[in-house]
Amino acid sequence: MKKIKGNSVSNGVAIGKAKIIKKHELYIEHKKIHKSEVKFELSRFNEDVTFVINELDKLIQDYTYSQENRDILESHKMILMDPEFKKKISKFIADDLYNLEHAISTYFTEAADIFSNLNNSYLSHRVSDFEDVAYRLLSHILDERKDILEDVTQNSILIMENITPSFVTKVFEKDIRGLCIERGSRNSHSSIIARSMNLPMLVNTLGLMGNIKDEEDLIIDGNNDYIIISPTKSVLEKYKAIYKREQNVRNGLLKLIDVEPITKDGKKIKLMSNIEIPQEIDQVLKYKSDGIGLFRTEFLFIDSEDLPTEEEQYEIYKKIAEKSAPNPLTIRTIDVGGDKLSNILNIAYEENPNLGCRGIRISLENIPIFKQQIKAILRANIHGNIKIMFPMISGVDELLKVKEIIEICSKELSKGGIPFNADMELGVMIEIPSAVITSDSIAEECDFLSIGTNDLIQYTLAVDRDNQSISDYYKPTHPSMIRSIKLTVDNAHKIGKKVAVCGEMASEKKYVKLLLALGVDELSVSPGRLLIIKKEIIDCNITEMKSKLDRILSCKTSKEVMKLI
Ligand code: PEP
Ligand code: MG
């Protein structure tokens, strides 16, 4: 029996059999091209190599482990930037008329052969580097899409090096027991999705792959942040009992489905759901939330190569709005950038993507795409109760521009005789410190505010939400956060506007009473957390908690805040 430490993304225990998901074999077609195709193959080569170099740059930037690993990635980049590489590939294509895949695989096979025959142990290590680079480049060129979950059974726990948000949704759809990821962080979007689906997942499990074999018994202990490999019989029995207890607690919570989220001292709190993919609407309806407080629309486009058309978006929004009605569906416009889906919009490589062209900036830089989304939302609003919300607003300037674009869209739809409904509440996400500071002015220009604590913590404390190695600095109860939430709520309430919290802070039991005492009107949480949070609301006496508020607001450290709450 072995234990490996990690960081749990969602609480709870999972028991299953290990299934290691590795990179798969690539099929390389060897064929002769026609002379007229040479130019095209060479341009493909340039584009694909640039893409992979950018990808490596991003990995180097994001890499949280060791300098040594970063150096390896740097050396992979050098292989692709070597002028000899370009010269040889160009020769294979232009003179020998090889297709691009054939040219690349020939080059790397020859290079690996040379190094492995050198009889020098240092240089022979370079063989695996060449193989790695070849795999990275060729799998990008071949755009491999093999379904790696094809032969995975339901009692599996998947072991992977890293994971994308789209893969998490596939795992959920297959009803697989859990996930253990060597890299990753608790606040990434893959983790948020796993949590919203109550899917047991451990991230940052360094060294796991080398310590595990397929089909070994595994236990994810999400309550204590570790994985147990080949547990003894008695440990397995103990965890089976814990698992059963957890199921009983979950079943017990189901009794709260029809209970209103009203605090002990009689305040009704709106309890909404966050969704990422349309299928989650079924969970929203099952747990009877007060509506959808955040629909992260960028995840709709997760598997698509092209952006969805206005018509495609309209159909999706319409369906969800109809199902959610009369409760609201709050649609947040695309928030790509940072760790999110930069591939679909062809965003140029950025040194600091989280400070780059993301959120509303992407929409304002790509007006035709933004207009498509706005028009689809305006049209779908005929079929339900839609609110629209904008991400990463830094101040009133952007908000005014956005409102202007909504006006233009309405006019264009009218002119084209296309039915729509512009009677729609307009909200702003407060997730940048400048938006907190100017929340009085922002509140005047919109109908409601929604605090995105995930980013607000990241930008207020200057700590990358995706970098697990500095996660100790990511403190939801840092005094600056408490004061930011209070300032935002006070500014909005002064002019009768409501404030929601839709970041992960709202989904964490331990912060619920604090948020309510700070005056937050609505909480929007992962559907999987809805009943747990409802129980917390029902158990909360806001008046009692408010009596501590002055002391909480004058705390100097997050530790002091945690003690008081
Ligand atoms: C947030 O930042 O808190 C938020 C809800 O948005 P996202 O996690 O999608 O960035
Ligand atoms: Mg955000």
Side-chain angles (χ1 to χ4, degrees):
M1 181 171 101
K2 252 185 247 164
K3 267 187 194 177
I4 290 191
K5 229 16 222 160
N7 296 97
S8 89
V9 158
S10 36
N11 294 350
V13 159
I15 302 169
K17 298 267 182 205
K19 172 77 189 165
I20 300 169
I21 304 283
K22 281 202 183 134
K23 300 187 269 192
H24 52 274
E25 294 296 313
L26 299 173
Y27 170 69
I28 311 291
E29 194 181 8
H30 289 201
K31 64 173 187 192
K32 284 270 179 194
I33 54 168
H34 190 266
K35 268 204 165 125
S36 61
E37 292 170 303
V38 166
K39 202 171 153 203
F40 177 67
E41 290 297 270
L42 287 175
S43 74
R44 273 177 74 205
F45 171 61
N46 284 330
E47 259 175 42
D48 293 329
V49 169
T50 309
F51 180 93
V52 174
I53 288 175
N54 286 342
E55 188 182 69
L56 281 168
D57 270 334
K58 188 166 171 5
L59 274 178
I60 292 163
Q61 194 82 18
D62 293 349
Y63 221 80
T64 56
Y65 301 150
S66 65
Q67 183 58 37
E68 196 187 357
N69 284 334
R70 209 174 277 130
D71 292 345
I72 292 173
L73 293 172
E74 281 287 358
S75 73
H76 290 187
K77 196 176 126 189
M78 290 306 135
I79 292 175
L80 293 173
M81 291 173 77
D82 182 356
E84 192 59 19
F85 169 54
K86 191 168 179 186
K87 208 168 112 192
K88 280 225 165 124
I89 297 291
S90 304
K91 182 191 162 299
F92 283 144
I93 292 174
D95 300 348
D96 304 332
L97 298 178
Y98 286 4
N99 60 320
L100 176 60
E101 295 82 348
H102 183 189
I104 289 173
S105 80
T106 308
Y107 174 83
F108 281 106
T109 311
E110 286 180 359
D113 281 351
I114 292 170
F115 279 107
S116 53
N117 290 329
L118 282 178
N119 230 354
N120 170 321
S121 79
Y122 169 72
L123 289 173
S124 63
H125 279 136
R126 299 282 290 157
V127 174
S128 62
D129 287 334
F130 275 90
E131 284 168 356
D132 213 345
V133 175
Y135 186 90
R136 188 182 291 281
L137 182 57
L138 285 166
S139 53
H140 165 67
I141 292 171
L142 294 167
D143 198 11
E144 280 289 300
R145 293 266 180 264
K146 182 177 178 282
D147 182 7
I148 45 182
L149 287 179
E150 213 166 53
D151 36 58
V152 171
T153 54
Q154 275 183 353
N155 70 347
S156 303
I157 291 180
L158 306 188
I159 314 296
M160 303 175 71
E161 196 199 340
N162 213 345
I163 194 162
T164 58
S166 63
F167 196 80
V168 179
T169 59
K170 281 192 194 132
V171 170
F172 176 72
E173 279 158 14
K174 282 215 112 181
D175 209 10
I176 286 163
R177 299 267 163 92
L179 288 160
C180 289
I181 312 297
E182 282 207 323
R183 293 179 55 184
S185 94
R186 278 201 90 238
N187 304 301
S188 72
H189 286 90
S190 304
S191 299
I192 289 175
I193 294 182
R195 193 156 44 240
S196 92
M197 293 162 168
N198 275 335
L199 184 67
M201 173 162 147
L202 220 60
V203 294
N204 205 25
T205 54
L206 277 180
L208 181 61
M209 287 247 191
N211 273 293
I212 216 162
K213 287 197 288 295
D214 264 341
E215 288 300 306
E216 261 184 301
D217 283 328
L218 281 187
I219 298 170
I220 295 179
D221 182 341
N223 306 319
N224 295 298
D225 298 82
Y226 53 73
I227 178 163
I228 303 171
I229 305 167
S230 282
T232 60
K233 220 171 165 193
S234 65
V235 169
L236 192 60
E237 287 311 313
K238 185 181 118 190
Y239 274 93
K240 277 185 181 164
I242 296 175
Y243 178 76
K244 205 165 163 200
R245 259 201 322 270
E246 284 180 350
Q247 291 305 103
N248 289 342
V249 171
R250 260 185 208 150
N251 291 339
L253 282 172
L254 295 178
K255 292 191 192 107
L256 294 182
I257 287 182
D258 287 310
V259 178
E260 288 251 35
I262 299 177
T263 64
K264 272 191 178 152
D265 44 347
K267 180 165 180 198
K268 158 90 173 108
I269 304 297
K270 275 226 163 117
L271 184 55
M272 318 280 281
S273 303
N274 293 349
I275 64 166
E276 283 77 33
I277 49 169
Q279 294 91 304
E280 281 180 289
I281 180 74
D282 297 332
Q283 297 234 63
V284 174
L285 297 177
K286 178 175 163 197
Y287 296 128
K288 298 194 180 166
S289 71
D290 290 319
I292 295 165
L294 167 66
F295 175 21
R296 292 179 162 101
T297 53
E298 58 276 8
F299 289 95
L300 276 181
F301 319 138
I302 219 159
D303 278 329
S304 41
E305 292 292 298
D306 302 313
L307 283 163
T309 61
E310 178 188 318
E311 206 52 38
E312 284 165 337
Q313 292 188 60
Y314 161 70
E315 286 299 333
I316 294 166
Y317 304 149
K318 174 183 160 202
K319 228 180 246 165
I320 305 177
E322 277 172 348
K323 284 193 173 178
S324 181
N327 286 332
L329 158 65
T330 312
I331 300 184
R332 179 181 72 181
T333 57
I334 299 179
D335 182 13
V336 270
D339 74 331
K340 283 187 267 183
L341 312 171
S342 338
N343 56 320
I344 60 165
L345 274 174
N346 243 339
I347 301 168
Y349 169 74
E350 293 178 313
E351 287 289 341
N352 291 308
N354 276 322
L355 300 182
C357 196
R358 64 164 289 197
I360 198 66
R361 298 170 194 172
I362 281 281
S363 296
L364 293 174
E365 293 298 315
N366 295 277
I367 301 284
I369 292 169
F370 191 37
K371 280 172 68 182
Q372 262 179 12
Q373 185 169 33
I374 303 267
K375 284 182 184 174
I377 294 171
L378 287 167
R379 290 171 58 199
N381 193 28
I382 293 181
H383 307 278
N385 172 13
I386 294 185
K387 299 181 183 195
I388 192 167
M389 183 159 82
F390 302 99
M392 300 283 301
I393 294 277
S394 68
V396 169
D397 285 344
E398 292 137 4
L399 185 52
L400 294 179
K401 279 187 201 154
V402 162
K403 285 167 80 169
E404 218 178 284
I405 293 164
I406 297 177
E407 278 290 326
I408 296 172
C409 289
S410 298
K411 277 189 191 138
E412 287 179 5
L413 286 172
S414 283
K415 218 167 153 193
I418 302 164
F420 69 99
N421 177 8
D423 181 14
M424 180 165 70
E425 280 191 27
L426 191 150
V428 168
M429 288 199 68
I430 301 294
E431 46 186 353
I432 303 184
S434 61
V436 171
I437 297 165
T438 56
S439 52
D440 50 349
S441 317
I442 294 177
E444 276 175 22
E445 290 293 336
C446 66
D447 300 302
F448 65 95
L449 303 180
S450 187
I451 306 178
T453 50
N454 308 337
D455 278 314
L456 190 56
I457 299 168
Q458 155 164 274
Y459 294 123
T460 304
L461 303 181
V463 50
D464 181 354
R465 65 191 262 187
D466 296 318
N467 185 345
Q468 192 61 39
S469 68
I470 47 168
S471 61
D472 284 350
Y473 296 93
Y474 189 91
K475 291 189 170 90
T477 49
H478 190 281
S480 60
M481 279 299 297
I482 310 291
R483 293 178 209 179
S484 294
I485 297 171
K486 180 77 168 53
L487 178 63
T488 306
V489 170
D490 288 350
N491 278 336
H493 283 181
K494 256 189 273 173
I495 53 168
K497 307 279 167 82
K498 295 254 195 284
V499 180
V501 171
C502 63
E504 288 301 287
M505 237 179 128
S507 290
E508 295 232 22
K509 239 164 91 165
K510 57 184 177 225
Y511 304 130
V512 168
K513 290 179 177 134
L514 170 67
L515 294 175
L516 299 186
L518 285 166
V520 167
D521 307 286
E522 279 182 33
L523 299 177
S524 193
V525 307
S526 314
R529 305 284 302 162
L530 204 102
L531 297 179
I532 296 169
I533 300 304
K534 190 187 272 190
K535 182 160 185 334
E536 214 47 33
I537 295 173
I538 294 167
D539 287 344
C540 174
N541 184 330
I542 302 185
T543 325
E544 210 173 80
M545 194 67 192
K546 270 193 173 156
S547 66
K548 290 191 205 168
L549 201 56
D550 282 344
R551 273 192 294 152
I552 292 175
L553 284 163
S554 58
C555 282
K556 294 192 176 74
T557 65
S558 55
K559 219 175 185 177
E560 287 174 33
V561 175
M562 284 310 289
K563 248 192 211 157
L564 280 172
I565 65 169

